Amino acid sequence: MRQLIAAAVQISCTDDVEANIEKLELHVREAARRGAQLVVLQELFEGLYFCVDEDRRHDARARPLAGHPTVSRMSALARETGTVLPVSLFERDGARLFNTLVMIDADGKVLGHYRKSHIPDSPGYSEKFYFADGDTGFRVFETAAGKVGTGVCWDQWFPEAARAMVLMGAEVLIYPTAIGSEPSYPGWDSRDHWQRVMQGHAGANLTPVIAANRTGAEKGRTGDMIFYGSSFIADHTGAKLAEADRVCDCVITAALDLDEIASARRGWGVFRDRRFDLYGALMQPTPERLLAMA
């Protein structure tokens, strides 16, 4: 039996980087005390979710990965706690800016990085204004906690990404996230839809999912956002094993038997019976009829 204790941390953020990181450190240490080997942190936790506005001054938040102070600090924390830490950052690579996840192993070693593939562009989530499309392709990292497939926020809405990562060997899928208010649809609460989509990835791929969202109200120059937390861990059937509420700064944990899950994945037949010869439509551009707004 290969047991993985997985954790997700959610916090509310201010624009004080030091305060945010100190808060996360407390929760990572708490997760480690509970036996966690993999601790998923939320998207862009260093500061406020600046993508609510389109303001070139926010570009100054981006830093190169080499010598990045938050990566160095999280590496030390991973080594101290013996936990695998995926770290979400605003990366500068020359003239290009990316929404990037750095995977840090339990000994503090940086295993590599993944650049967010799917970039949203809607009121409140103006990420295309800041981030280039990711150029790493989907990534699966072999860590001390197992083989971890990494998506970031909007990636979680695409079943193709989840399936690709599992075909690449992922034993668990993670999604650092920043989601809440929907300015395009005032009054609509997307929380349950958000969870169900990822629960579907878990069930369809017989692979657990860990999603870490942020919480709290954040005020931008052009609007406000209320993030709804509700971080969760789903098992390989899509059932939620642990779930945070909408507002707490907290950590959740759940135990996963990776060997038992691997056996179920092999035995269920969805990978045996894949008809990849019929999936050509997935390689074509989206039809115009699906792009037009009602």
Side-chain angles (χ1 to χ4, degrees):
M1 180 179 74
R2 284 192 303 137
Q3 186 182 66
L4 168 63
I5 306 297
V9 173
Q10 66 177 36
I11 64 168
S12 58
C13 293
T14 69
D15 228 12
D16 184 333
V17 176
E18 178 66 20
N20 296 333
I21 292 177
E22 285 183 355
K23 189 188 293 189
L24 277 177
E25 286 175 333
L26 290 173
H27 286 90
V28 171
R29 292 187 177 102
E30 171 60 24
R33 282 192 289 272
R34 298 189 199 177
Q37 300 141 285
L38 169 64
V39 184
V40 182
L41 310 177
Q42 66 207 46
E43 184 183 21
L44 299 173
F45 59 75
E46 289 183 292
L48 298 176
Y49 180 73
F50 53 88
C51 304
V52 67
D53 298 318
E54 295 186 359
D55 187 338
R56 289 268 72 103
R57 289 175 293 182
H58 289 308
D59 291 354
R61 298 172 181 265
R63 297 185 180 187
L65 294 184
H68 197 296
T70 299
V71 173
S72 297
R73 188 157 172 178
M74 292 293 105
S75 293
L77 180 64
R79 186 166 53 251
E80 171 200 329
T81 58
T83 57
V84 177
L85 294 179
V87 176
S88 173
L89 301 165
F90 188 12
E91 178 198 357
R92 178 179 295 279
D93 182 6
R96 301 182 303 166
L97 306 177
F98 295 99
N99 188 331
T100 297
L101 181 146
V102 176
M103 183 63 73
I104 302 173
D105 211 355
D107 60 0
K109 180 182 178 181
V110 173
L111 299 178
H113 64 275
Y114 164 71
R115 289 168 171 165
K116 186 173 179 176
S117 299
H118 303 94
I119 310 297
D121 185 25
S122 62
Y125 302 92
S126 296
E127 295 197 15
K128 287 189 187 297
F129 183 81
Y130 297 100
F131 308 130
D133 291 342
D135 60 0
T136 59
F138 304 123
R139 299 292 309 274
V140 175
F141 295 95
E142 186 147 6
T143 77
K147 296 176 183 177
V148 181
T150 56
V152 177
C153 202
W154 193 226
D155 289 331
Q156 66 208 358
W157 294 87
F158 294 83
E160 300 91 340
R163 176 55 57 90
M165 289 187 283
V166 175
L167 290 173
M168 293 165 64
E171 297 176 293
V172 62
L173 300 173
I174 66 167
Y175 296 103
T177 302
I179 189 170
S181 306
E182 301 289 347
S184 296
Y185 305 96
W188 179 43
D189 183 353
S190 63
R191 195 278 304 268
D192 291 350
H193 186 190
W194 170 74
Q195 289 189 340
R196 284 194 295 266
V197 167
M198 286 179 282
Q199 289 175 263
H201 299 336
N205 292 289
L206 287 98
T207 302
V209 164
I210 309 164
N213 191 20
R214 65 202 290 141
T215 66
E218 299 185 13
K219 189 173 184 62
R221 181 174 53 82
T222 58
D224 301 338
M225 293 290 289
I226 299 176
F227 297 96
Y228 49 58
S230 305
S231 302
F232 72 98
I233 301 171
D235 72 7
H236 61 292
T237 71
K240 287 187 284 189
L241 300 177
E243 180 179 5
D245 66 26
R246 290 174 175 261
V247 298
C248 72
D249 285 359
C250 58
V251 56
I252 57 172
T253 60
L256 304 166
D257 184 336
L258 296 184
D259 285 338
E260 180 180 313
I261 292 167
S263 178
R265 191 182 301 119
R266 288 190 300 269
W268 196 244
V270 294
F271 292 97
R272 180 198 62 210
D273 297 336
R274 288 179 64 245
R275 288 293 307 276
F276 54 87
D277 55 314
L278 302 181
Y279 303 154
L282 297 176
M283 301 297 292
Q284 302 304 314
T286 303
E288 287 296 324
R289 60 185 170 76
L290 294 177
L291 295 174
M293 297 294 290

